[in-house]
Amino acid sequence: MVARRSPASQVHPRRKSKPAPRSIDASAATKQKNTVLCVLLALATIALYSPVIGHSFVVLDDREYVTANPHIHDGLSRNTVKWAFTSTEAANWHPLTWLSHALDYQLFALNPGGHHLDSVLIHALNAVLLFLLLGWVTKRVGPSLLVAALFALHPINVESVAWVAERKNVLSTLFFFLAIGAYGWYARKPDWQRYLLVAALFAAGLMAKPMVITLPFVFLLLDYWPLGRTTGSPASAIGAPQLTGSRLLLEKIPLLVLSAASAWITLIAQRTGQAVRTFEEFPLAIRIENAVVAYGLYLWKMLWPARLAIYPHSAIALPAWRWTLSTLVLMSITALVVTFRKRYLPVGWFWFLGTLIPVIGLVQVGEADMADRYAYIPLIGIFVMIAWGLGDWAEAKEVRTAWLIIPAVCGLTALGFDAHRQMSYWESQYSLLAHTLAVTDPERSAYVHDALGSALLDPGSSMTQHDLENF
């Protein structure tokens, strides 16, 4: 005789299946919330930078990159594509940047508004990608949103967005973020097809601007946190399998080959364009002093974004107190991030230090001792340290969300107002150079004086109607 099932045993399987819809609903709600936050972040970024759409080109590099470049004026023709991949004009090999300018010229000709609009849209997309990447690999929405908002609104990034010739900066960062996203996808389930996508996106970033050359080292930092791929690390939010340190280093070798090739091509291009300065012009001791001071100044301008401009190199020894103070600050922060048992601290700090190395001045290119645009990627590491540090403090103190949102919104609003003021200086060549003279050391500004004189000699291309009326 077959035993009958009790009513309870018949109902029991149905009870086990009930949590599934709740899980689906929670996932859908999270996606909906992230979508809303992405839209708000993008709209805030575009709204902030909308004034630059009415700005003119500046003679400084825009002439070489767009306004007087006959290859760009051919649009996306076969000859332009061939030239872009073989040219070292402007002392760089960045074919994708040339092609982006050629596309803009084909769409907008010499209407600067269209060129500025595309840079603004790419910057907004970069901010959204940064938020999505951090949220995906950490599952922490609040700190991820704060990092992305700081990146989107901070005044130090105005130079990268408001200067048409710096399309290479925002474009290379777009591929930089896409490569990180592909690397996270690869880390979850390593295979050669996924790795090939990582390599292809990294190569695209290098073909937009070689500053992303440090990406393989960034991947090693991400292996430590938040991907948790190193042996003995806490499990990551995306469930990436763990590997030994030697295996993690070994998988970066093909990417390091790409970095080496890009460095070699860039050095040839810059020497051909006579952009690399000799040690007679800039002695090694001065370069080291300037590099240390520049690190400190990038941190200071992140905290207090005032007197942002073009920074001419003095090519003379700096006062001892400046590089001594910067050295002490850097050493102290390094000791603190290594001491505290928070994995995001050393990752953020060494992200900042490492991604600045290509442009810190040890290989001196051009006339500047530092530049706001160079901080576009590096300061993300500091933003991560700040956002996650505040998030952990709030959790430990059980601070209500509202008490976090209010000061965050106030701080971001202040940064937005400062960024709006900063982008007004990029309205024309004249306003940019006049501001630079007002906030930099006059003894170091011979180059700026010369450039401003050229702008005054050609007011039709260098000055807006507002400049002329207030001159």
Side-chain angles (χ1 to χ4, degrees):
M1 183 179 291
V2 179
R4 281 180 148 185
R5 293 184 178 180
S6 66
S9 66
Q10 292 176 1
V11 175
H12 187 64
R14 295 181 181 176
R15 291 177 179 171
K16 287 185 176 180
S17 63
K18 285 184 178 180
R22 295 177 184 173
S23 178
I24 294 172
D25 290 345
S27 177
T30 299
K31 289 181 179 179
Q32 186 177 24
K33 180 175 71 173
N34 287 343
T35 300
V36 171
L37 291 175
C38 286
V39 171
L40 291 175
L41 179 62
L43 290 177
T45 306
I46 294 170
L48 173 66
Y49 277 94
S50 59
V52 305
I53 298 172
H55 289 186
S56 64
F57 292 108
V58 295
V59 178
L60 191 68
D61 284 3
D62 283 358
R63 179 177 176 83
E64 189 173 11
Y65 274 82
V66 179
T67 59
N69 190 316
H71 302 283
I72 297 302
H73 296 178
D74 283 342
L76 283 178
S77 66
R78 179 180 299 180
N79 289 336
T80 302
V81 173
K82 180 181 178 181
W83 169 80
F85 279 91
T86 56
S87 171
T88 57
E89 195 166 323
N92 271 302
W93 184 75
H94 41 33
L96 294 188
T97 292
W98 289 129
L99 294 178
S100 76
H101 286 304
L103 176 60
D104 276 1
Y105 186 87
Q106 188 161 316
L107 294 173
F108 311 112
L110 287 179
N111 177 3
H115 297 258
H116 284 299
L117 174 62
D118 278 356
S119 292
V120 171
L121 293 177
I122 295 173
H123 178 58
L125 179 57
N126 286 342
V128 170
L129 282 174
L130 180 58
F131 166 62
L132 292 175
L133 285 171
L134 289 172
W136 174 49
V137 297
T138 66
K139 299 297 185 285
R140 296 186 66 178
V141 175
S144 301
L145 182 61
L146 180 56
V147 170
L150 287 169
F151 171 81
L153 307 179
H154 201 286
I156 205 169
N157 287 338
V158 166
E159 181 174 287
S160 296
V161 185
W163 191 1
V164 170
E166 275 309 308
R167 169 68 56 79
K168 56 183 178 284
N169 213 29
V170 293
L171 186 62
S172 63
T173 303
L174 172 62
F175 289 112
F176 179 87
F177 288 152
L178 290 174
I180 290 176
Y183 184 73
W185 185 52
Y186 161 80
R188 293 182 64 185
K189 186 182 177 182
D191 60 42
W192 70 269
Q193 294 98 331
R194 297 186 179 198
Y195 190 91
L196 192 61
L197 177 61
V198 175
L201 290 169
F202 177 38
L206 293 171
M207 287 190 286
K209 185 179 182 180
M211 183 173 170
V212 297
I213 197 172
T214 57
L215 185 56
F217 301 98
V218 170
F219 286 156
L220 287 172
L221 291 174
L222 298 178
D223 286 338
Y224 179 72
W225 181 91
L227 296 178
R229 299 186 70 207
T230 55
T231 304
S233 297
S236 68
I238 63 172
Q242 296 185 348
L243 301 173
T244 61
S246 58
R247 285 283 303 278
L248 293 173
L249 285 171
L250 187 63
E251 73 176 12
K252 307 300 186 298
I253 289 178
L255 303 178
L256 290 171
V257 171
L258 287 176
S259 294
S262 177
W264 178 68
I265 293 171
T266 300
L267 191 58
I268 291 175
Q270 292 178 340
R271 283 180 173 172
T272 302
Q274 300 181 339
V276 179
R277 297 296 180 252
T278 65
F279 283 102
E280 287 74 21
E281 295 174 291
F282 295 91
L284 180 60
I286 290 178
R287 298 184 189 209
I288 294 173
E289 290 176 4
N290 183 77
V292 173
V293 172
Y295 271 118
L297 284 174
Y298 283 121
L299 290 175
W300 174 246
K301 289 179 181 296
M302 184 272 300
L303 292 171
W304 190 257
R307 303 176 71 84
L308 303 178
I310 299 170
Y311 312 106
H313 204 304
S314 63
I316 60 175
L318 298 173
W321 70 266
R322 294 188 65 184
W323 56 262
T324 301
L325 178 61
S326 292
T327 300
L328 290 174
V329 170
L330 296 177
M331 291 177 64
S332 299
I333 297 176
T334 302
L336 287 173
V337 301
V338 172
T339 302
F340 281 95
R341 296 182 180 180
K342 298 291 185 180
R343 286 178 170 256
Y344 55 81
L345 290 177
V347 169
W349 181 240
F350 291 113
W351 173 306
F352 168 70
L353 295 179
T355 55
L356 263 175
I357 286 176
V359 290
I360 202 60
L362 297 177
V363 177
Q364 181 62 39
V365 178
E367 305 293 337
D369 59 0
M370 59 181 290
D372 294 345
R373 60 188 179 275
Y374 295 158
Y376 194 68
I377 288 176
L379 281 183
I380 293 171
I382 306 299
F383 295 155
V384 166
M385 295 170 67
I386 293 171
W388 258 261
L390 290 174
D392 282 358
W393 172 82
E395 286 186 1
K397 299 296 183 180
E398 298 182 350
V399 179
R400 294 177 60 184
T401 303
W403 292 110
L404 297 175
I405 293 176
I406 293 172
V409 170
C410 291
L412 292 171
T413 301
L415 288 176
F417 276 113
D418 196 27
H420 184 272
R421 178 182 55 82
Q422 182 63 27
M423 69 183 70
S424 69
Y425 301 131
W426 285 89
E427 185 177 4
S428 69
Q429 176 87 351
Y430 172 78
S431 59
L432 172 64
L433 295 173
H435 169 68
T436 299
L437 285 179
V439 301
T440 57
D441 185 351
E443 295 180 1
R444 301 173 60 183
S445 302
Y447 166 77
V448 181
H449 278 288
D450 181 66
L452 183 59
S454 299
L456 293 174
L457 288 173
D458 187 14
S461 63
S462 305
M463 301 175 73
T464 64
Q465 186 62 33
H466 179 268
D467 296 331
L468 293 169
E469 291 173 355
N470 292 275
F471 176 63

